[in-house]
Amino acid sequence: MITFFSEQHVQHAPQHEFFRGERVPCFESPARARYVQQQLVARGHVLREPDADSLMVLAQVHTARYLAFLEGAWADWLALEPGNADRQPFPSVWPVRSLRADVEPANFTARLGLYSMDNGSPVCAGTWAAAKAGADAAVSATRLLHAGEHAVFCATRPPGHHAGADFMGGYCFLNNAAVAAQALRAQGCRRVAVLDVDYHHGNGTQSLFYERADVLFVSLHGDPRTEYPFYLGHADETGRGAGEGFNLNLPLPAGSAASTWFEALDVACARIAWHGADALVVSLGLDTFAGDPISTFALQADDFSRLGERLGRLGMPTVFVLEGGYAAAELGENAVNVIEGFEQAG
Ligand code: SP5
Ligand code: ZN
């Protein structure tokens, strides 16, 4: 399968995140991209550099002021103090509920909080270029679909599905799946479906399309009552206005068996087939793997081949974008199992 990959993806290399008050190494590490790259090459897949500029599509997905903040964030951080080059910015204040989010403060940390849903999405020198290359890959993939390619894989990091119109979160900065869906619509697809199989609910993608009937969002994920992102992803979120009925959440209890997960996948696939979409975008999180260090589902390596086969049987032009998956050494095998399972079904 044609795959987009950029060296930029390795340059997003924040130092740490926080767990129970302690600094721990980032789960979302540069090594993830290398393992996926190595496995793709080893198994004979073609890697290409993204060749499209996503700026126009990004402006339809994210707000102008969020994009401006993200692009300039590292330079703004350095401008505060040259010594900041070796430090990681960290938000300390957030505009919850009764506070104002419409006025952008001048203070850097206040802006960081304004544009963050959590304190676990560290920005570093390479963040913008890595995220932008991911969005460029998403648009490049849709161009290949438009030219007749059946399926394309974006082997990108950082992930994207937690990022909303004006916020980062959950290791995500630019919403690559939403960028792909939006680009497909612009290229003439009348209906698009986004299937999110990451362990965590794709709150960013859901929120971006929640009031739209043209982009169906379907997600299976750990129940947000106990699992990140906690504040979205419940079964009663079915869409709003014109989008009513075009959002399907299938939350599963933490610790669910693979058989339970595949039953939910069948429900998701049935809904997608019924939508009659012209194209499918898959938010391919692999943190459903039994060996994942931050998640509780139980899929094994060969289950990822089954996942690919099930998606291949939908028979739809498909863009895969890499999301989570933190058992880095197994990430490449699991990802390539999905895309080869997909190819075998087609
Ligand atoms: C794209 C994606 O998968 N984002 C996930 C973001 C999760 N952020 C919260 C991580 C909490 C880590 N908890 C560690 C539990 C170890 N037992
Ligand atoms: Zn995840």
Side-chain angles (χ1 to χ4, degrees), residues 2-52:
I2 296 175
T3 300
F4 286 105
F5 177 83
S6 165
E7 277 300 313
Q8 297 297 337
H9 299 314
V10 186
Q11 304 304 319
H12 169 64
Q15 301 161 23
H16 51 257
E17 63 181 89
F18 284 82
F19 180 60
R20 294 185 180 154
E22 306 286 342
R23 293 180 190 203
V24 299
C26 292
F27 290 98
E28 203 289 287
S29 67
R32 299 175 66 245
R34 286 284 180 238
Y35 281 112
V36 175
Q37 179 193 28
Q38 284 164 10
Q39 193 68 203
L40 285 161
V41 171
R43 290 160 71 170
H45 296 273
V46 180
L47 296 183
R48 290 192 192 173
E49 284 278 328
D51 52 5

Side-chain angles (χ1 to χ4, degrees), residues 32 161-162 171 196-200 283-299 304 323-327 331 334:
R32 299 175 66 245
H161 73 151
H162 295 303
Y171 318 141
D196 191 321
V197 298
D198 188 278
Y199 178 80
H200 306 95
S283 265
L284 184 60
L286 298 146
D287 39 12
T288 51
F289 179 52
D292 195 90
I294 68 168
S295 308
T296 72
F297 287 170
L299 272 64
F304 290 103
E323 301 284 1
Y326 307 102
L331 186 68
N334 291 340

Side-chain angles (χ1 to χ4, degrees), residues 34-277:
R34 286 284 180 238
Y35 281 112
V36 175
Q37 179 193 28
Q38 284 164 10
Q39 193 68 203
L40 285 161
V41 171
R43 290 160 71 170
H45 296 273
V46 180
L47 296 183
R48 290 192 192 173
E49 284 278 328
D51 52 5
D53 185 344
S54 58
L55 223 48
M56 299 290 286
V57 188
L58 280 171
Q60 296 180 290
V61 169
H62 296 286
T63 66
R65 75 177 201 182
Y66 171 64
L67 291 171
F69 170 74
L70 192 62
E71 183 168 12
W74 189 253
D76 291 353
W77 174 243
L78 292 183
L80 289 176
E81 198 189 312
N84 278 352
D86 301 319
R87 298 193 186 101
Q88 189 171 288
F90 190 62
S92 60
V93 60
W94 289 267
V96 299
R97 277 123 3 231
S98 61
L99 300 179
R100 285 185 68 173
D102 59 319
V103 185
E104 186 185 77
N107 179 278
F108 175 80
T109 304
R111 283 188 291 140
L112 185 58
L114 173 63
Y115 295 120
S116 301
M117 65 172 277
D118 67 8
N119 71 5
S121 308
V123 172
C124 66
T127 301
W128 170 257
K132 174 66 164 47
D136 289 350
V139 174
S140 302
T142 66
R143 296 221 175 131
L144 286 186
L145 252 59
H146 192 64
E149 198 67 28
H150 182 56
V152 180
F153 176 46
C154 300
T156 55
R157 70 173 282 279
H161 73 151
H162 295 303
D166 63 355
F167 62 88
M168 62 185 82
Y171 318 141
C172 302
F173 301 90
L174 299 176
N175 194 312
N176 302 317
V179 165
Q182 189 64 34
L184 287 163
R185 287 285 293 117
Q187 287 167 14
C189 290
R190 285 177 51 252
R191 291 178 160 204
V192 176
V194 180
L195 173 63
D196 191 321
V197 298
D198 188 278
Y199 178 80
H200 306 95
H201 175 253
N203 61 283
T205 317
Q206 169 172 312
S207 65
L208 284 161
F209 299 116
Y210 204 61
E211 300 189 27
R212 288 171 54 170
D214 57 333
V215 180
L216 170 71
F217 179 72
V218 179
S219 179
L220 40 161
H221 50 267
D223 191 327
R225 284 181 174 79
T226 61
E227 305 309 291
Y228 187 92
F230 304 114
Y231 308 116
L232 210 65
H234 299 282
D236 66 352
E237 297 157 14
T238 56
R240 187 187 303 124
E244 179 63 51
F246 294 94
N247 194 90
L248 176 61
N249 283 329
L250 301 166
L252 302 170
S256 288
S259 56
T260 306
W261 193 88
F262 276 99
E263 283 168 25
L265 180 66
D266 273 338
V267 175
C269 287
R271 178 67 188 89
I272 287 165
W274 189 61
H275 185 57

